[in-house]
Structure formats: C-alpha cells, structure tokens
Amino acid sequence: MGPGIGFAGAVYSGGNLKGKRGGLAYQGLAGMEFRFGPVGLHLQYKYLAATAGKDDKKVKVGGGGVLAGVSFLF
C-alpha cells in the first residue's frame, strides 16, 4: 500500500487540442501477497492521475488497473 507524487507527460490530439505537455501526477496502490510454501500469489490495484497543459488547454490523463502475479522461491 502506498501513495506517490511526481511528473507525468502526455501527448494528445483531437478536436481543438493538440500537443505535448506535462504536469503534476499522483498515484496510489494497494495489494497483498499470499504465500503457499515456495509459491506466492500477489494481487495489486494501481491508480495514476495527472493534469497536463496550460490554463486554457488542460487535459486530464490517467487510469487504473489490476496487476496479478506468481512468484517462486528456490
């Protein structure tokens, strides 16, 4: 579980908006791992959001997703 803050860049086009900009970004994630002897199963959710552009042309970018994996100890 944890938060993060940083910088994100975006390239966008469509309608009256076109260009490359960057801006402040933040993210959050939460997850857990289950251990079964030498095998681990983990599941995590991550969300990232940022606003890029100038005052008159701001674009919100971001998204979230679920990550899953398996680990082996030997």
Side-chain angles (χ1 to χ4, degrees):
M1 192 164 174
I5 190 166
F7 180 83
V11 177
Y12 50 89
S13 64
N16 294 332
L17 293 175
K18 186 173 185 175
K20 295 189 284 188
R21 296 281 186 235
L24 184 65
Y26 63 91
Q27 74 175 10
L29 61 96
M32 57 184 6
E33 182 175 20
F34 301 97
R35 305 287 312 160
F36 303 99
V39 179
L41 302 174
H42 57 270
L43 188 63
Q44 181 182 74
Y45 178 78
K46 182 177 183 179
Y47 180 78
L48 171 74
T51 301
K54 296 182 180 178
D55 290 335
D56 59 337
K57 294 183 180 178
K58 285 191 176 181
V59 176
K60 291 185 178 185
V61 293
V66 175
L67 306 165
V70 177
S71 62
F72 300 97
L73 294 174
F74 50 95

Coordinates of all heavy atoms in Angstrom, one line a residue:
M1 N 0.8 -1.2 0.0 CA 0.0 0.0 0.0 C 0.9 1.2 0.0 O 1.9 1.3 0.7 CB -0.9 0.0 1.2 CG -2.0 0.9 1.2 SD -3.1 0.4 2.6 CE -4.2 1.6 2.6
G2 N 0.6 2.2 -0.8 CA 1.4 3.4 -0.8 C 0.9 4.5 -1.8 O 0.3 4.2 -2.8
P3 N 1.3 5.7 -1.5 CA 1.0 6.8 -2.4 C 2.3 7.2 -3.1 O 3.4 6.8 -2.7 CB 0.5 7.9 -1.4 CG 1.3 7.7 -0.2 CD 1.5 6.2 -0.1
G4 N 2.1 8.0 -4.1 CA 3.3 8.6 -4.8 C 2.9 9.9 -5.5 O 1.8 10.1 -5.8
I5 N 3.9 10.7 -5.7 CA 3.7 12.0 -6.4 C 4.9 12.2 -7.3 O 6.0 11.8 -7.0 CB 3.5 13.2 -5.4 CG1 3.1 14.4 -6.1 CG2 4.8 13.4 -4.6 CD1 2.6 15.5 -5.2
G6 N 4.7 12.8 -8.5 CA 5.7 13.1 -9.4 C 5.3 13.9 -10.6 O 4.4 14.7 -10.5
F7 N 5.9 13.6 -11.8 CA 5.6 14.3 -13.0 C 5.2 13.3 -14.1 O 5.7 12.2 -14.2 CB 6.9 15.0 -13.5 CG 6.8 15.8 -14.7 CD1 6.3 17.1 -14.7 CD2 7.1 15.2 -16.0 CE1 6.1 17.8 -15.9 CE2 7.0 15.9 -17.1 CZ 6.5 17.2 -17.1
A8 N 4.2 13.7 -14.9 CA 3.7 12.8 -16.0 C 3.7 13.7 -17.3 O 3.4 14.9 -17.2 CB 2.4 12.3 -15.7
G9 N 4.0 13.1 -18.4 CA 4.0 13.7 -19.7 C 2.9 13.1 -20.5 O 2.5 11.9 -20.4
A10 N 2.3 13.9 -21.4 CA 1.2 13.5 -22.2 C 1.3 14.0 -23.6 O 1.7 15.1 -23.8 CB -0.2 13.9 -21.6
V11 N 1.0 13.2 -24.6 CA 0.9 13.6 -26.0 C -0.5 13.4 -26.4 O -1.0 12.3 -26.2 CB 1.9 12.7 -26.9 CG1 1.7 13.1 -28.3 CG2 3.3 12.9 -26.4
Y12 N -1.2 14.4 -26.9 CA -2.6 14.3 -27.1 C -3.0 15.0 -28.4 O -2.3 16.0 -28.9 CB -3.4 14.8 -26.0 CG -3.0 16.2 -25.5 CD1 -3.6 17.3 -26.0 CD2 -2.1 16.3 -24.4 CE1 -3.2 18.6 -25.5 CE2 -1.7 17.5 -24.0 CZ -2.2 18.7 -24.5 OH -1.8 19.9 -24.1
S13 N -4.1 14.6 -29.1 CA -4.6 15.3 -30.2 C -6.1 14.9 -30.4 O -6.5 13.8 -30.0 CB -3.9 14.9 -31.5 OG -4.0 13.5 -31.8
G14 N -6.8 15.8 -30.9 CA -8.3 15.6 -31.1 C -9.0 16.9 -30.8 O -8.7 17.6 -29.9
G15 N -10.0 17.1 -31.7 CA -10.7 18.4 -31.5 C -9.8 19.6 -31.6 O -9.0 19.7 -32.6
N16 N -9.9 20.5 -30.7 CA -9.1 21.7 -30.7 C -7.8 21.6 -29.9 O -7.1 22.5 -29.8 CB -9.9 22.9 -30.2 CG -11.1 23.3 -31.1 OD1 -11.0 23.1 -32.3 ND2 -12.1 23.8 -30.5
L17 N -7.6 20.4 -29.3 CA -6.4 20.2 -28.5 C -5.4 19.3 -29.3 O -5.8 18.3 -29.8 CB -6.8 19.5 -27.2 CG -7.7 20.2 -26.2 CD1 -8.0 19.4 -25.1 CD2 -6.9 21.5 -25.7
K18 N -4.2 19.8 -29.3 CA -3.1 19.0 -29.9 C -1.8 19.5 -29.3 O -1.6 20.7 -29.2 CB -3.1 19.2 -31.4 CG -2.1 18.4 -32.1 CD -2.3 18.5 -33.6 CE -1.3 17.5 -34.3 NZ -1.5 17.4 -35.7
G19 N -1.0 18.6 -28.9 CA 0.3 19.0 -28.3 C 0.9 18.0 -27.4 O 0.4 16.8 -27.2
K20 N 2.0 18.4 -26.7 CA 2.7 17.6 -25.7 C 2.8 18.5 -24.5 O 3.3 19.7 -24.6 CB 4.1 17.2 -26.2 CG 4.1 16.3 -27.3 CD 5.5 15.8 -27.6 CE 6.3 16.8 -28.3 NZ 7.6 16.3 -28.8
R21 N 2.5 18.0 -23.3 CA 2.6 18.8 -22.1 C 2.8 17.8 -21.0 O 2.6 16.6 -21.1 CB 1.3 19.5 -21.8 CG 0.9 20.6 -22.8 CD 1.7 21.8 -22.5 NE 1.3 22.9 -23.4 CZ 2.0 23.6 -24.2 NH1 3.3 23.3 -24.2 NH2 1.6 24.5 -24.9
G22 N 3.2 18.4 -19.8 CA 3.5 17.6 -18.6 C 2.9 18.3 -17.5 O 2.5 19.5 -17.5
G23 N 2.8 17.6 -16.4 CA 2.2 18.2 -15.2 C 2.4 17.3 -14.0 O 2.9 16.2 -14.0
L24 N 1.9 17.8 -12.8 CA 1.9 17.1 -11.6 C 1.1 15.8 -11.7 O 0.0 15.8 -12.2 CB 1.4 18.0 -10.5 CG 1.5 17.4 -9.1 CD1 2.9 17.2 -8.6 CD2 0.8 18.4 -8.1
A25 N 1.6 14.7 -11.2 CA 0.9 13.5 -11.2 C 0.9 12.8 -9.8 O 1.8 13.1 -9.0 CB 1.5 12.5 -12.2
Y26 N -0.1 12.0 -9.5 CA -0.1 11.3 -8.3 C -0.6 9.9 -8.5 O -1.3 9.6 -9.5 CB -1.0 12.0 -7.2 CG -2.4 12.1 -7.6 CD1 -3.3 11.1 -7.2 CD2 -2.9 13.2 -8.2 CE1 -4.7 11.2 -7.5 CE2 -4.3 13.3 -8.5 CZ -5.1 12.3 -8.2 OH -6.5 12.4 -8.5
Q27 N -0.2 9.0 -7.7 CA -0.7 7.6 -7.8 C -0.9 7.0 -6.4 O -0.4 7.4 -5.4 CB 0.3 6.7 -8.6 CG 1.6 6.4 -7.9 CD 2.5 5.4 -8.7 OE1 2.2 5.2 -9.8 NE2 3.5 4.9 -8.0
G28 N -1.7 5.9 -6.4 CA -1.9 5.2 -5.2 C -2.0 3.7 -5.6 O -2.4 3.4 -6.7
L29 N -1.5 2.9 -4.7 CA -1.6 1.4 -5.0 C -1.8 0.7 -3.7 O -1.5 1.1 -2.6 CB -0.4 0.9 -5.7 CG 1.0 1.0 -5.0 CD1 1.3 -0.3 -4.3 CD2 2.0 1.3 -6.0
A30 N -2.5 -0.4 -3.8 CA -2.8 -1.3 -2.7 C -2.7 -2.8 -3.2 O -3.1 -3.0 -4.3 CB -4.1 -1.1 -2.1
G31 N -2.2 -3.6 -2.4 CA -2.1 -5.0 -2.8 C -1.8 -5.9 -1.7 O -1.5 -5.5 -0.5
M32 N -1.7 -7.2 -2.0 CA -1.4 -8.2 -1.0 C -0.8 -9.5 -1.7 O -1.0 -9.7 -2.9 CB -2.6 -8.6 -0.1 CG -3.8 -9.1 -0.9 SD -5.3 -9.5 0.1 CE -4.9 -8.9 1.8
E33 N -0.1 -10.2 -0.9 CA 0.5 -11.5 -1.4 C 0.2 -12.6 -0.5 O 0.2 -12.5 0.8 CB 2.0 -11.3 -1.5 CG 2.7 -12.6 -2.1 CD 4.2 -12.4 -2.3 OE1 4.8 -11.5 -1.7 OE2 4.7 -13.2 -3.1
F34 N -0.1 -13.8 -1.0 CA -0.4 -15.0 -0.3 C 0.7 -16.0 -0.6 O 1.0 -16.2 -1.7 CB -1.8 -15.6 -0.7 CG -2.9 -14.6 -0.6 CD1 -3.4 -13.9 -1.6 CD2 -3.5 -14.5 0.7 CE1 -4.5 -13.0 -1.4 CE2 -4.6 -13.6 0.9 CZ -5.1 -12.9 -0.2
R35 N 1.3 -16.5 0.5 CA 2.4 -17.4 0.4 C 1.9 -18.9 0.7 O 1.2 -19.1 1.6 CB 3.5 -17.1 1.4 CG 4.0 -15.7 1.3 CD 4.9 -15.4 0.2 NE 5.9 -16.3 -0.1 CZ 6.5 -16.3 -1.3 NH1 6.2 -15.5 -2.2 NH2 7.5 -17.2 -1.5
F36 N 2.3 -19.8 -0.2 CA 2.0 -21.2 -0.1 C 3.3 -22.0 -0.2 O 3.6 -22.4 -1.3 CB 1.0 -21.7 -1.1 CG -0.3 -20.9 -1.1 CD1 -0.6 -19.9 -2.0 CD2 -1.3 -21.2 -0.1 CE1 -1.7 -19.2 -2.0 CE2 -2.5 -20.5 -0.1 CZ -2.7 -19.5 -1.0
G37 N 4.0 -22.0 0.9 CA 5.4 -22.7 0.8 C 6.3 -21.8 -0.1 O 6.4 -20.6 0.1
P38 N 6.8 -22.4 -1.2 CA 7.7 -21.7 -2.1 C 7.0 -20.9 -3.2 O 7.7 -20.3 -4.0 CB 8.6 -22.8 -2.7 CG 7.7 -24.0 -2.7 CD 6.8 -23.9 -1.4
V39 N 5.7 -20.9 -3.1 CA 4.9 -20.2 -4.2 C 4.2 -19.0 -3.6 O 3.6 -19.2 -2.5 CB 3.9 -21.2 -4.9 CG1 3.1 -20.5 -5.9 CG2 4.7 -22.4 -5.5
G40 N 4.2 -17.9 -4.2 CA 3.5 -16.7 -3.8 C 2.5 -16.2 -4.9 O 2.9 -16.2 -6.1
L41 N 1.3 -15.9 -4.5 CA 0.4 -15.3 -5.4 C 0.1 -13.8 -5.0 O -0.2 -13.6 -3.8 CB -0.9 -16.0 -5.4 CG -0.9 -17.5 -5.8 CD1 -2.2 -18.2 -5.6 CD2 -0.4 -17.7 -7.2
H42 N 0.3 -12.9 -5.9 CA 0.0 -11.5 -5.4 C -1.0 -10.8 -6.4 O -1.1 -11.1 -7.6 CB 1.3 -10.7 -5.3 CG 2.2 -10.6 -6.5 ND1 3.1 -11.6 -6.8 CD2 2.2 -9.8 -7.6 CE1 3.7 -11.3 -7.9 NE2 3.1 -10.2 -8.4
L43 N -1.7 -9.9 -5.8 CA -2.7 -9.1 -6.5 C -2.6 -7.7 -6.0 O -2.4 -7.4 -4.8 CB -4.1 -9.6 -6.1 CG -5.3 -9.1 -6.8 CD1 -5.3 -9.4 -8.3 CD2 -6.6 -9.7 -6.2
Q44 N -2.7 -6.7 -7.0 CA -2.4 -5.3 -6.7 C -3.3 -4.5 -7.6 O -3.6 -4.8 -8.7 CB -1.0 -5.0 -7.0 CG -0.5 -3.6 -6.8 CD 0.9 -3.4 -7.1 OE1 1.3 -3.4 -8.3 NE2 1.8 -3.3 -6.1
Y45 N -3.8 -3.3 -7.0 CA -4.5 -2.3 -7.8 C -3.7 -1.1 -7.8 O -3.2 -0.6 -6.7 CB -5.9 -2.1 -7.2 CG -6.7 -1.0 -7.9 CD1 -7.3 -1.3 -9.2 CD2 -6.7 0.3 -7.5 CE1 -7.9 -0.3 -9.9 CE2 -7.3 1.3 -8.2 CZ -7.9 1.0 -9.4 OH -8.6 2.0 -10.1
K46 N -3.6 -0.4 -8.9 CA -2.8 0.8 -9.1 C -3.6 1.8 -9.8 O -4.3 1.5 -10.8 CB -1.5 0.5 -9.8 CG -0.6 1.7 -10.0 CD 0.7 1.3 -10.6 CE 1.6 2.4 -10.8 NZ 2.9 2.0 -11.4
Y47 N -3.6 3.1 -9.3 CA -4.3 4.2 -10.0 C -3.3 5.4 -10.2 O -2.6 5.7 -9.2 CB -5.5 4.7 -9.1 CG -6.2 5.8 -9.7 CD1 -7.1 5.6 -10.8 CD2 -6.0 7.1 -9.3 CE1 -7.8 6.6 -11.4 CE2 -6.7 8.2 -9.9 CZ -7.6 7.9 -10.9 OH -8.3 8.9 -11.5
L48 N -3.3 6.0 -11.4 CA -2.5 7.1 -11.7 C -3.3 8.2 -12.3 O -4.2 7.9 -13.1 CB -1.4 6.7 -12.7 CG -0.5 7.8 -13.3 CD1 0.4 8.3 -12.2 CD2 0.2 7.4 -14.5
A49 N -3.1 9.5 -11.9 CA -3.9 10.6 -12.4 C -2.9 11.8 -12.5 O -2.0 12.0 -11.7 CB -5.0 10.9 -11.5
A50 N -3.2 12.6 -13.6 CA -2.4 13.8 -13.8 C -3.2 14.8 -14.6 O -4.1 14.4 -15.3 CB -1.1 13.5 -14.5
T51 N -2.9 16.1 -14.5 CA -3.4 17.1 -15.3 C -2.3 17.8 -16.0 O -1.3 18.3 -15.4 CB -4.2 18.2 -14.5 OG1 -5.2 17.5 -13.7 CG2 -4.8 19.2 -15.3
A52 N -2.3 17.7 -17.4 CA -1.3 18.3 -18.2 C -1.8 19.4 -19.0 O -2.9 19.4 -19.5 CB -0.7 17.2 -19.1
G53 N -0.9 20.4 -19.3 CA -1.3 21.5 -20.2 C -1.3 22.8 -19.5 O -1.0 23.0 -18.3
K54 N -1.6 23.9 -20.2 CA -1.7 25.2 -19.7 C -3.1 25.5 -19.2 O -4.1 24.7 -19.5 CB -1.3 26.2 -20.8 CG 0.1 26.1 -21.2 CD 0.5 27.1 -22.2 CE 2.0 26.9 -22.7 NZ 2.4 27.9 -23.7
D55 N -3.3 26.7 -18.6 CA -4.6 27.0 -18.1 C -5.8 26.9 -19.1 O -6.8 26.5 -18.7 CB -4.6 28.4 -17.4 CG -3.7 28.4 -16.2 OD1 -3.6 27.4 -15.5 OD2 -3.2 29.5 -15.8
D56 N -5.5 27.4 -20.3 CA -6.6 27.4 -21.3 C -6.8 26.1 -22.0 O -7.8 25.8 -22.6 CB -6.4 28.5 -22.3 CG -5.1 28.4 -23.0 OD1 -4.2 27.7 -22.5 OD2 -5.0 28.9 -24.2
K57 N -5.8 25.2 -21.9 CA -5.9 23.9 -22.5 C -5.4 22.8 -21.6 O -4.3 22.2 -21.8 CB -5.1 23.9 -23.8 CG -5.7 24.8 -24.9 CD -4.9 24.7 -26.2 CE -5.5 25.7 -27.2 NZ -4.7 25.7 -28.4
K58 N -6.2 22.4 -20.6 CA -5.7 21.4 -19.7 C -6.4 20.0 -20.1 O -7.5 20.0 -20.5 CB -6.2 21.7 -18.3 CG -5.3 22.7 -17.7 CD -5.6 22.9 -16.2 CE -4.6 23.9 -15.6 NZ -4.8 24.0 -14.1
V59 N -5.6 19.0 -19.9 CA -6.1 17.6 -20.2 C -5.8 16.8 -19.0 O -4.7 16.7 -18.5 CB -5.4 17.0 -21.5 CG1 -5.8 15.6 -21.7 CG2 -5.6 17.9 -22.7
K60 N -6.8 16.0 -18.6 CA -6.7 15.1 -17.5 C -6.3 13.7 -18.1 O -7.0 13.2 -19.0 CB -8.0 15.0 -16.7 CG -8.2 16.3 -15.9 CD -9.4 16.1 -15.0 CE -9.6 17.4 -14.2 NZ -10.7 17.2 -13.2
V61 N -5.3 13.1 -17.6 CA -4.8 11.8 -18.1 C -4.7 10.9 -16.9 O -4.5 11.4 -15.7 CB -3.5 11.9 -18.8 CG1 -3.6 12.6 -20.1 CG2 -2.4 12.6 -18.0
G62 N -4.8 9.6 -17.1 CA -4.6 8.7 -16.0 C -5.5 7.4 -16.2 O -6.1 7.2 -17.3
G63 N -5.5 6.6 -15.2 CA -6.2 5.3 -15.3 C -5.8 4.4 -14.1 O -4.9 4.7 -13.4
G64 N -6.5 3.3 -14.1 CA -6.2 2.3 -13.0 C -6.2 0.9 -13.6 O -6.7 0.7 -14.7
G65 N -5.7 0.0 -12.8 CA -5.7 -1.4 -13.3 C -5.3 -2.3 -12.2 O -4.8 -2.0 -11.2
V66 N -5.6 -3.6 -12.5 CA -5.3 -4.7 -11.5 C -4.1 -5.4 -12.1 O -4.1 -5.7 -13.3 CB -6.5 -5.6 -11.4 CG1 -6.2 -6.8 -10.5 CG2 -7.7 -4.9 -10.8
L67 N -3.2 -5.7 -11.2 CA -2.0 -6.5 -11.6 C -2.0 -7.7 -10.8 O -2.3 -7.7 -9.6 CB -0.7 -5.7 -11.3 CG -0.6 -4.3 -11.9 CD1 0.4 -3.4 -11.3 CD2 -0.4 -4.4 -13.4
A68 N -1.6 -8.9 -11.4 CA -1.6 -10.1 -10.7 C -0.3 -10.8 -11.1 O 0.2 -10.7 -12.2 CB -2.8 -11.0 -11.0
G69 N 0.2 -11.7 -10.2 CA 1.5 -12.4 -10.5 C 1.7 -13.6 -9.6 O 1.0 -13.8 -8.6
V70 N 2.7 -14.4 -10.0 CA 3.1 -15.5 -9.2 C 4.6 -15.5 -9.0 O 5.3 -15.0 -9.9 CB 2.8 -16.8 -10.0 CG1 3.3 -18.1 -9.3 CG2 1.3 -16.9 -10.3
S71 N 5.1 -15.8 -7.8 CA 6.5 -15.8 -7.5 C 6.9 -17.2 -7.0 O 6.1 -17.9 -6.4 CB 6.9 -14.7 -6.5 OG 6.2 -14.9 -5.3
F72 N 8.1 -17.6 -7.3 CA 8.6 -18.9 -6.8 C 9.9 -18.7 -6.1 O 10.8 -18.0 -6.6 CB 8.9 -19.8 -8.0 CG 7.7 -20.1 -8.8 CD1 7.4 -19.4 -10.0 CD2 6.8 -21.1 -8.5 CE1 6.3 -19.6 -10.8 CE2 5.7 -21.4 -9.2 CZ 5.4 -20.6 -10.4
L73 N 10.1 -19.3 -4.9 CA 11.3 -19.2 -4.1 C 12.0 -20.5 -4.3 O 11.4 -21.6 -4.2 CB 11.0 -19.0 -2.6 CG 10.3 -17.6 -2.3 CD1 10.0 -17.6 -0.8 CD2 11.3 -16.5 -2.6
F74 N 13.3 -20.4 -4.5 CA 14.1 -21.6 -4.6 C 15.5 -21.4 -4.2 O 16.0 -20.3 -3.9 CB 14.1 -22.2 -6.0 CG 14.4 -21.3 -7.1 CD1 15.7 -21.2 -7.6 CD2 13.4 -20.5 -7.7 CE1 16.0 -20.3 -8.7 CE2 13.7 -19.7 -8.7 CZ 15.0 -19.6 -9.2

